[in-house]
Tab-separated table of all heavy atoms in Angstrom:
chain	number	residue	atom	x	y	z
A	177	THR	N	20.574	-7.272	-9.649
A	177	THR	CA	21.145	-6.516	-10.774
A	177	THR	C	20.535	-6.933	-12.114
A	177	THR	O	20.193	-6.067	-12.928
A	177	THR	CB	22.670	-6.695	-10.825
A	177	THR	OG1	22.984	-8.102	-10.793
A	177	THR	CG2	23.347	-6.004	-9.660
A	178	THR	N	20.409	-8.239	-12.356
A	178	THR	CA	19.826	-8.670	-13.640
A	178	THR	C	18.355	-8.284	-13.732
A	178	THR	O	17.866	-7.942	-14.810
A	178	THR	CB	19.985	-10.190	-13.854
A	178	THR	OG1	19.492	-10.892	-12.708
A	178	THR	CG2	21.430	-10.564	-14.104
A	179	GLN	N	17.656	-8.306	-12.588
A	179	GLN	CA	16.250	-7.874	-12.603
A	179	GLN	C	16.140	-6.411	-13.003
A	179	GLN	O	15.298	-6.039	-13.831
A	179	GLN	CB	15.618	-8.091	-11.228
A	179	GLN	CG	15.247	-9.537	-10.935
A	179	GLN	CD	14.649	-9.721	-9.556
A	179	GLN	OE1	14.132	-8.782	-8.977
A	179	GLN	NE2	14.736	-10.927	-9.024
A	180	MET	N	16.997	-5.554	-12.446
A	180	MET	CA	16.935	-4.129	-12.774
A	180	MET	C	17.385	-3.867	-14.201
A	180	MET	O	16.853	-2.981	-14.880
A	180	MET	CB	17.762	-3.333	-11.766
A	180	MET	CG	17.101	-3.318	-10.397
A	180	MET	SD	18.072	-2.520	-9.114
A	180	MET	CE	17.052	-2.881	-7.678
A	181	PHE	N	18.361	-4.637	-14.662
A	181	PHE	CA	18.820	-4.541	-16.056
A	181	PHE	C	17.679	-4.871	-17.017
A	181	PHE	O	17.437	-4.150	-17.995
A	181	PHE	CB	19.996	-5.507	-16.246
A	181	PHE	CG	20.526	-5.589	-17.648
A	181	PHE	CD1	21.359	-4.606	-18.160
A	181	PHE	CD2	20.204	-6.673	-18.461
A	181	PHE	CE1	21.869	-4.697	-19.456
A	181	PHE	CE2	20.701	-6.778	-19.747
A	181	PHE	CZ	21.532	-5.778	-20.251
A	182	LEU	N	16.941	-5.949	-16.732
A	182	LEU	CA	15.837	-6.377	-17.600
A	182	LEU	C	14.621	-5.473	-17.456
A	182	LEU	O	13.944	-5.181	-18.444
A	182	LEU	CB	15.465	-7.835	-17.299
A	182	LEU	CG	16.528	-8.872	-17.681
A	182	LEU	CD1	16.179	-10.245	-17.107
A	182	LEU	CD2	16.667	-8.969	-19.194
A	183	GLN	N	14.332	-5.025	-16.236
A	183	GLN	CA	13.192	-4.132	-16.023
A	183	GLN	C	13.365	-2.824	-16.787
A	183	GLN	O	12.382	-2.262	-17.287
A	183	GLN	CB	13.030	-3.830	-14.533
A	183	GLN	CG	12.352	-4.946	-13.757
A	183	GLN	CD	12.358	-4.702	-12.258
A	183	GLN	OE1	12.907	-3.701	-11.779
A	183	GLN	NE2	11.755	-5.603	-11.502
A	184	SER	N	14.592	-2.334	-16.876
A	184	SER	CA	14.852	-1.082	-17.582
A	184	SER	C	14.466	-1.174	-19.051
A	184	SER	O	14.190	-0.165	-19.695
A	184	SER	CB	16.337	-0.710	-17.474
A	184	SER	OG	16.698	-0.516	-16.133
A	185	GLN	N	14.438	-2.417	-19.561
A	185	GLN	CA	14.077	-2.649	-20.960
A	185	GLN	C	12.650	-3.197	-21.102
A	185	GLN	O	12.240	-3.571	-22.189
A	185	GLN	CB	15.050	-3.654	-21.578
A	185	GLN	CG	16.507	-3.302	-21.392
A	185	GLN	CD	17.421	-4.468	-21.705
A	185	GLN	OE1	17.438	-4.971	-22.835
A	185	GLN	NE2	18.194	-4.903	-20.725
A	186	SER	N	11.923	-3.266	-19.976
A	186	SER	CA	10.572	-3.863	-19.928
A	186	SER	C	10.586	-5.311	-20.411
A	186	SER	O	9.652	-5.778	-21.059
A	186	SER	CB	9.592	-3.026	-20.763
A	186	SER	OG	9.468	-1.734	-20.224
A	187	LYS	N	11.662	-6.033	-20.068
A	187	LYS	CA	11.770	-7.452	-20.418
A	187	LYS	C	11.700	-8.312	-19.153
A	187	LYS	O	12.493	-9.237	-18.985
A	187	LYS	CB	13.099	-7.725	-21.142
A	187	LYS	CG	13.178	-7.142	-22.539
A	187	LYS	CD	14.483	-7.538	-23.222
A	187	LYS	CE	14.518	-7.023	-24.654
A	187	LYS	NZ	15.775	-7.406	-25.346
A	188	ASN	N	10.757	-8.006	-18.291
A	188	ASN	CA	10.764	-8.689	-16.995
A	188	ASN	C	9.725	-9.799	-16.854
A	188	ASN	O	9.550	-10.338	-15.769
A	188	ASN	CB	10.618	-7.681	-15.844
A	188	ASN	CG	9.391	-6.807	-15.985
A	188	ASN	OD1	8.859	-6.663	-17.078
A	188	ASN	ND2	8.948	-6.224	-14.903
Side-chain angles (χ1 to χ4, degrees):
T177 52
T178 52
Q179 283 179 23
M180 290 175 186
F181 176 78
L182 292 169
Q183 281 173 358
S184 298
Q185 308 166 61
S186 297
K187 290 184 176 181
N188 55 339

